[in-house]
Amino acid sequence: MENSSVKQYRTMLNRAVEPYFGADGIRCVTSAQIEKWVEWMRDFRGYKPTTLRFRFSLLQSVFDWAIDEGLVDANPCRPVSLPVSGARTYRDQRAEVHVPDTGTVLAVIESAPERYRGMLWLMAGCGLRLGEAMGVGRDRISFSHQSITVDRQVACDRDTGSGRYGSMRLRHVKWREDGERGRCVPLPDVVGFALRRHLRDHPTWGPEDLLFSNATGTGLLYPYYWYGRIWRPALTAAGVNYFKPHSLRHFYAASLLRQGVPVSEVSAWLGHSSVSFTERYYADLLPDAPDRARFAIDGALGARRQVSGPTGTPVTPRSGVRLVLQQDFVL
């Protein structure tokens, strides 16, 4: 398991599980208590359905592990029904996806410190996560092949030796093992131009020739510095309301999908674990999908039928032509 995941799960257990169950042994927890805990998270903590479901799933996994280890005989989470269905949770999750418009993206990039604008171009123009943009080195960019290899990221999850994960490190990207080949992402001309200019004006750092280092050029770029000194000031200077840097990645996905790029390719370039995740997450970004469905069926079924024209002359539908069927035409 990734150190970042361990850190995240420990935080959830400390904030959402232990405060409610306290020192109760794992064998003492009942389904009735789990139901009350779900209500407590919803009413007292004010968790959104997506957050509540994630924490519930974590505890459910803990009990599954306890069964495998012979610590308990049954999982008390199994009989519990969450107040919001999974389908509704996913719809709410999609509704929370914020996609800034092109003008906003360009304004924020222009308002960012010149030294770090290349990071914004990588997120909005190549779909990189923040940590992945921080981990881009010169040798990962191929201007001749117009591509970027994404196989590293900067993360705050180094084991400090005290049981805490908070130290900075450069490691392989999420869901990849050390030495595993990363994903290859197309490098658009506009992003390539921005990176060439960055390399011309700023030195790389470290043995990996990272493009973006800290303010003094002596170490990794810390996320807290990024948010406080780069991202928030850029939003303020651009005159836009706050949104997360991850929204630039949403902008990338939305731009590709709206141009008709296959979702399988978008998923691969985003580095998602599966195409189904991409489809579920960005389903609402395909506003022309109903039109494509109508055209496809009109072309497939209409091509074998003859429809009478206004004068009674048979009209043979052709593929790609949208037909308006008469009300008395019955398939």
Side-chain angles (χ1 to χ4, degrees):
M1 182 183 294
E2 297 283 358
N3 286 349
S4 58
S5 298
V6 173
K7 178 183 177 182
Q8 181 185 29
Y9 293 161
R10 282 182 175 174
T11 300
M12 287 191 290
L13 289 171
N14 291 337
R15 294 180 178 177
V17 178
E18 291 183 0
Y20 185 85
F21 294 101
D24 290 347
I26 194 169
R27 288 184 175 274
C28 300
V29 179
T30 65
S31 295
Q33 285 180 295
I34 298 294
E35 291 178 350
K36 293 294 184 182
W37 173 62
V38 170
E39 295 176 1
W40 175 79
M41 287 194 293
R42 181 193 62 193
D43 300 333
F44 182 75
R45 289 293 196 187
Y47 287 154
K48 296 180 179 179
T50 51
T51 305
L52 191 153
R53 180 172 292 275
F54 193 21
R55 279 143 182 77
F56 178 84
S57 298
L58 174 61
L59 187 59
Q60 186 170 260
S61 299
V62 170
F63 277 104
D64 284 340
W65 170 85
I67 292 175
D68 293 339
E69 295 296 317
L71 301 177
V72 296
D73 298 324
N75 190 330
C77 294
R78 295 296 178 187
V80 177
S81 298
L82 295 181
V84 179
S85 68
R88 171 64 184 276
T89 300
Y90 294 141
R91 288 197 297 271
D92 291 344
Q93 187 179 42
R94 289 201 303 268
E96 293 173 3
V97 173
H98 172 69
V99 181
D101 58 47
T102 303
T104 296
V105 171
L106 294 176
V108 173
I109 292 176
E110 185 63 27
S111 300
E114 191 274 334
R115 179 178 178 178
Y116 295 108
R117 287 177 190 168
M119 291 182 63
L120 301 180
W121 281 112
L122 284 170
M123 287 188 278
C126 296
L128 271 63
R129 301 176 177 91
L130 176 59
E132 293 171 344
M134 292 178 177
V136 171
R138 175 62 186 87
D139 65 334
R140 267 42 176 190
I141 305 171
S142 175
F143 291 110
S144 59
H145 292 89
Q146 292 186 294
S147 65
I148 293 179
T149 298
V150 184
D151 62 350
R152 297 182 306 213
Q153 70 180 69
V154 172
C156 302
D157 64 353
R158 181 187 294 277
D159 189 349
T160 61
S162 63
R164 296 177 180 272
Y165 296 92
S167 181
M168 296 286 292
R169 66 167 175 153
L170 181 67
R171 64 165 173 83
H172 57 86
V173 293
K174 194 173 186 179
W175 314 126
R176 296 290 187 272
E177 299 294 336
D178 286 320
E180 186 177 348
R181 184 175 178 270
R183 68 187 190 273
C184 186
V185 179
L187 177 62
D189 289 339
V190 64
V191 181
F193 177 79
L195 296 181
R196 286 181 183 274
R197 182 171 53 190
H198 176 88
L199 288 167
R200 181 197 66 190
D201 297 339
H202 304 282
T204 58
W205 175 81
E208 297 85 5
D209 283 330
L210 297 183
L211 271 64
F212 310 104
S213 62
N214 60 18
T216 60
T218 59
L220 297 174
L221 179 60
Y222 276 72
Y224 75 83
Y225 182 90
W226 160 264
Y227 281 100
R229 299 294 185 89
I230 301 171
W231 181 246
R232 289 190 179 92
L235 295 178
T236 301
V240 300
N241 293 328
Y242 181 83
F243 61 87
K244 296 179 180 179
H246 203 75
S247 292
L248 298 179
R249 183 170 154 87
H250 296 327
F251 171 84
Y252 173 79
S255 299
L256 296 182
L257 293 171
R258 287 170 178 167
Q259 290 296 321
V261 178
V263 68
S264 58
E265 297 177 7
V266 176
S267 181
W269 296 332
L270 288 171
H272 283 166
S273 56
S274 67
V275 175
S276 61
F277 176 86
T278 309
E279 291 174 331
R280 186 182 73 205
Y281 207 67
Y282 293 111
D284 293 340
L285 301 182
L286 301 172
D288 59 339
D291 285 335
R292 291 203 302 273
R294 285 188 287 268
F295 282 130
I297 298 303
D298 283 342
L301 297 180
R304 296 181 179 274
R305 301 302 300 247
Q306 284 193 335
V307 184
S308 298
T311 61
T313 304
V315 177
T316 301
R318 293 175 296 173
S319 177
V321 179
R322 185 177 182 180
L323 300 176
V324 179
L325 303 180
Q326 301 295 327
Q327 290 184 354
D328 58 351
F329 181 76
V330 180
L331 292 177

